Amino acid sequence: MPAGETHMWTTLDLERDGKQHGFVRLPFSSDLSAYGTIPIPIACIRNGDGPTALLVAGSHGDEYEGQIALGKLARRIEPGEVRGRIVVLPALNYPAVAAGRRLSPLDEGNLNRLFPGKANGTPTQMIAHYVVSVLLPLSDLVIDLHSGGRSLAYYPCCLIRDGGIATETARLVELMQIFGAPVGSISDGAGGGASTTLSAAAQACGVPALTAELGGGGSFSPKGEAIATQGLCRVLRHVGILPNAQTEPPPPVRLMRVEGRDAFVYAPCRGIFEPCVEIGDSVHPGQCAGAIHPIDGPHRPPQAINFTRPGLVACRRFPALTNPGDCLFKLLSDVERT
Ligand code: ZN
């Protein structure tokens, strides 16, 4: 639990039965709004005792499938269908959502790299702290919906963190298989977010967390939204919150993981990125991944990029113009389960 008491509050009574729509208020004092607050949308659908699911999207503002899926769910689900409570925040980093950006324009904060947050920190740190200090203690399950944002296109994946406790991992794998995204990625927590993600904060609080990647490119994927909607309903039914939800059986989930640093392919130079493979493709070592074309004249040849390991292309860079160090691809490898 992070130190300090939150300065944020909600207009909802999260202990009340029924459906409520309102805001979490984030104090933000500025030149033209001295006593102002940032209103972060929240919905609560509660019906008596039972588990609580915390459903989140818009942690990165330019990722849209989850924002729309959660808005539809919050409007559609009525309290009589619920046993327990569903807390929905479809635009968690609201300033980033309003700007259509991954980061908050208020502080350049990347919410899913700032957990567990700070009570007296920047606006984005304060949101992370509110989630950890107020919402996670209420929650029995977290589902955090993402996609690749403007810079990545993602093959639909569900992700969990392997904390090294076999029973916990088995429970998360079960939930991931019920969610039913085509790929289930098991992370050892050593990836880009490490211990600073909502998933990591939930794990530290003992709350099972699923993260989903549903599309990308700053656009909206109907297929990704459908995967999210079906997955949410199946998981909520499985944990008893939506006992009568009509759901299809989950499709098979291919269990995979990131194997080593060379699972990520980075741009070696500046130029225009020509990919030779697409998300969902299976690739082998030595296969052409793409090329970077110099922008300062056709007399300079493009620089070829080859994969150095086999895997499934989980994501690729979406914008063509590329700088050295930009992530071009991430590969996943099959998990051999005993
Ligand atoms: Zn994201």
Side-chain angles (χ1 to χ4, degrees):
M1 182 71 66
E5 190 167 337
T6 185
H7 301 291
M8 297 169 62
W9 71 98
T10 178
T11 59
L12 304 187
D13 178 355
L14 298 176
E15 302 304 321
R16 200 177 88 195
D17 278 351
K19 175 146 80 172
Q20 305 168 73
H21 288 279
F23 301 99
V24 177
R25 294 206 176 274
L26 164 64
F28 185 68
S29 184
S30 63
D31 287 346
L32 295 177
S33 189
Y35 294 172
T37 62
I38 309 283
I40 300 170
I42 183 172
C44 179
I45 311 164
R46 184 173 178 196
N47 186 16
D49 293 334
T52 293
L54 175 63
L55 310 180
V56 168
S59 176
H60 296 135
D62 59 351
E63 303 173 359
Y64 294 105
E65 293 79 5
Q67 296 183 39
I68 289 182
L70 291 188
K72 288 181 180 175
L73 181 138
R75 290 189 295 276
R76 185 178 75 243
I77 303 289
E78 295 301 333
E81 303 167 58
V82 172
R83 302 287 179 273
R85 178 168 53 184
I86 305 173
V87 177
V88 183
L89 291 106
L92 184 59
N93 199 354
Y94 181 73
V97 168
R101 291 185 52 195
R102 180 174 179 82
L103 310 182
S104 171
L106 302 182
D107 54 15
E108 297 299 315
N110 179 345
L111 179 52
N112 214 31
R113 300 292 183 272
L114 286 170
F115 283 90
K118 289 183 183 170
N120 292 307
T122 65
T124 310
Q125 289 172 324
M126 290 171 71
I127 295 170
H129 179 271
Y130 182 82
V131 171
V132 174
S133 64
V134 176
L135 298 178
L136 282 183
L138 303 175
S139 302
D140 301 288
L141 169 71
V142 175
I143 302 180
D144 186 14
L145 301 175
H146 288 253
S147 63
R150 284 188 288 178
S151 75
L152 293 173
Y154 238 105
Y155 192 70
C157 301
C158 187
L159 298 90
I160 58 167
R161 283 172 60 87
D162 181 353
I165 301 168
T167 51
E168 178 189 282
T169 303
R171 166 89 170 130
L172 288 170
V173 168
E174 180 192 25
L175 290 171
M176 188 159 68
Q177 285 171 323
I178 291 164
F179 189 85
V183 165
S185 176
I186 304 169
S187 162
D188 61 3
S195 61
T196 61
T197 62
L198 173 53
S199 171
Q203 188 173 55
C205 296
V207 181
L210 299 180
T211 304
E213 300 283 359
L214 300 160
S219 187
F220 171 79
S221 160
K223 183 180 166 196
E225 190 225 331
I227 289 169
T229 298
Q230 279 288 315
L232 288 165
C233 286
R234 271 194 295 267
V235 172
L236 292 175
R237 179 186 167 119
H238 177 77
V239 300
I241 295 178
L242 290 178
N244 300 312
Q246 301 295 313
T247 59
E248 304 282 323
V253 173
R254 186 173 173 184
L255 295 182
M256 309 192 83
R257 66 165 73 238
V258 170
E259 294 276 10
R261 295 230 177 257
D262 62 349
F264 293 85
V265 179
Y266 299 103
C269 57
R270 179 170 166 79
I272 300 168
F273 171 43
E274 177 194 11
C276 288
V277 298
E278 269 304 336
I279 54 173
D281 286 356
S282 291
V283 301
H284 54 81
Q287 180 174 340
C288 175
I292 305 283
H293 294 260
I295 55 175
D296 45 1
H299 60 288
R300 294 187 54 207
Q303 181 155 347
I305 302 153
N306 295 326
F307 292 108
T308 59
R309 62 170 304 120
L312 175 130
V313 180
C315 66
R316 77 157 173 90
R317 179 169 174 78
F318 193 79
L321 188 60
T322 296
N323 282 307
D326 285 337
C327 179
L328 303 178
F329 299 100
K330 178 177 98 170
L331 300 180
L332 292 174
S333 304
D334 284 304
V335 170
E336 306 300 331
R337 289 180 65 82
T338 53

